[in-house]
Amino acid sequence: MFDTTYHVSKYNMICASFVGVNHHLKNTLFGCALLLDETVNSSIWLFDTFLEAMGNGAPKTIFIDQDEAMEKAVEKVFLNAQHCVCTSHTAKHAAKNIPNLYDKPEFGDIFSKLLFGCETEFVFESTWKEMGTKENSWLNRLYESRNKWSVAFGGGIFSCSIRLTKKSEGSRNIFWLMPANSMNLIGFVHHYEQQMSEYCNTAYAGVLSQVLYAQDHHILINILAEM
C-alpha cells in the first residue's frame, strides 16, 4: 500500500510510505519518502527509487489513492502490478465528492453494500442499478474503475485482505505521533528512526509470542496424544 496521507506541515511536504505485510500477515513498513508534490514525475521518481531499494522486486499488487498522477506513475513503473484502491479510500472520496447523496441514509446503505457486501458481479450490478444515479459524473467514473475497488471484481487479485481493511493504519501511527508542525527535517528523521525501532521491537515481540504459543500448543497436543 502506498500512502500519502501524512504531511510534514512546517515544510508543506508529503510523507509517502510503502506498507506491506510479512509472512505472518503483520504490517511491514518498507520505507518512506518526503515529497514536495504529487505530480506524475515525482511519483515516477519515487517508484523508481523504491524499485532500486528493493533490488528491483516490484509489488504484485499496489493499493493507492484515487489519484490520476499516481495511476499514471504506477502504469509506467510497475508494469505487471495490479493497481487497486482501498474501500476505505473510496468511502472517503464519496463523502467528499457527493456529500448531498452520501449523507442520505438510503443512499448510504446501498453504497455501503457496494463497498462491503457484494461478493459477486451479479449482486454488484443489481445493487448499482438500485442506486439509480446514472447522471452523476463522479459515480460514473467510479463505476468505470470498479475492478480496482470492488471485491466482486477482484477475486483473483493478491491483496492480503488490504482491500477491505486499513492495513496501513498501524504503520501510519508512527507518523501521527510526530509533532510535524514544529519539527525540522533532521528532527523528523531522528524521530522516525526512534519510532521505527520501537515499532519493529513491538512487531517482533508479537511474532515471537505467536511462535512460542504454537510451540507450546504443539507440545500440549503431543502430551495428550501420549496419554
Side-chain angles (χ1 to χ4, degrees):
M1 176 180 287
F2 179 64
D3 185 14
T4 56
T5 305
Y6 184 78
H7 286 68
V8 183
S9 300
K10 184 176 180 179
Y11 301 96
N12 196 29
M13 298 182 75
I14 303 157
C15 184
S17 61
F18 290 90
V19 180
V21 293
N22 59 21
H23 54 291
H24 296 284
L25 294 182
K26 299 296 183 181
N27 282 8
T28 298
L29 180 59
F30 294 119
C32 69
L34 295 174
L35 300 174
L36 288 173
D37 55 52
E38 295 182 76
T39 61
V40 175
N41 288 337
S42 292
S43 298
I44 289 175
W45 169 84
L46 178 56
F47 292 160
D48 281 335
T49 304
F50 175 78
L51 271 182
E52 183 180 352
M54 300 298 291
N56 289 322
K60 296 183 180 297
T61 307
I62 183 167
F63 287 81
I64 65 173
D65 205 346
Q66 292 173 318
D67 181 88
E68 184 177 353
M70 288 187 200
E71 291 180 3
K72 291 180 179 179
V74 167
E75 292 172 357
K76 183 174 179 61
V77 180
F78 302 132
L79 302 179
N80 298 316
Q82 293 281 355
H83 166 213
C84 300
V85 178
C86 285
T87 49
S88 58
H89 285 168
T90 304
K92 290 178 181 177
H93 281 287
K96 178 181 178 180
N97 288 280
I98 50 171
N100 56 324
L101 290 172
Y102 194 76
D103 291 339
K104 295 180 180 179
E106 61 274 15
F107 177 88
D109 291 342
I110 297 175
F111 194 76
S112 179
K113 182 180 178 180
L114 286 168
L115 294 179
F116 306 107
C118 296
E119 296 183 357
T120 66
E121 294 183 23
F122 176 80
V123 174
F124 178 91
E125 296 293 351
S126 60
T127 303
W128 189 274
K129 290 179 181 178
E130 183 183 350
M131 193 165 57
T133 52
K134 295 181 180 180
E135 297 181 358
N136 187 284
S137 59
W138 186 84
L139 285 172
N140 288 336
R141 290 194 300 273
L142 185 67
Y143 178 80
E144 292 300 321
S145 64
R146 61 194 180 279
N147 62 307
K148 295 181 180 179
W149 56 269
S150 171
V151 176
F153 296 89
I157 297 176
F158 175 76
S159 68
C160 291
S161 300
I162 290 178
R163 187 189 299 274
L164 288 174
T165 59
K166 300 178 181 179
K167 279 285 186 183
S168 70
E169 287 195 349
S171 302
R172 190 183 300 167
N173 288 337
I174 292 174
F175 304 110
W176 290 128
L177 292 172
M178 299 180 185
N181 289 328
S182 58
M183 185 177 291
N184 59 36
L185 291 181
I186 295 177
F188 175 86
V189 172
H190 288 319
H191 196 81
Y192 168 79
E193 291 177 342
Q194 179 183 352
Q195 291 295 324
M196 271 298 298
S197 178
E198 294 177 3
Y199 173 78
C200 291
N201 289 336
T202 301
Y204 174 76
V207 171
L208 181 61
S209 65
Q210 288 184 341
V211 172
L212 293 176
Y213 172 79
Q215 291 176 341
D216 292 343
H217 188 62
H218 180 68
I219 293 172
L220 178 60
I221 291 176
N222 287 338
I223 293 174
L224 291 175
E226 294 172 359
M227 292 179 62

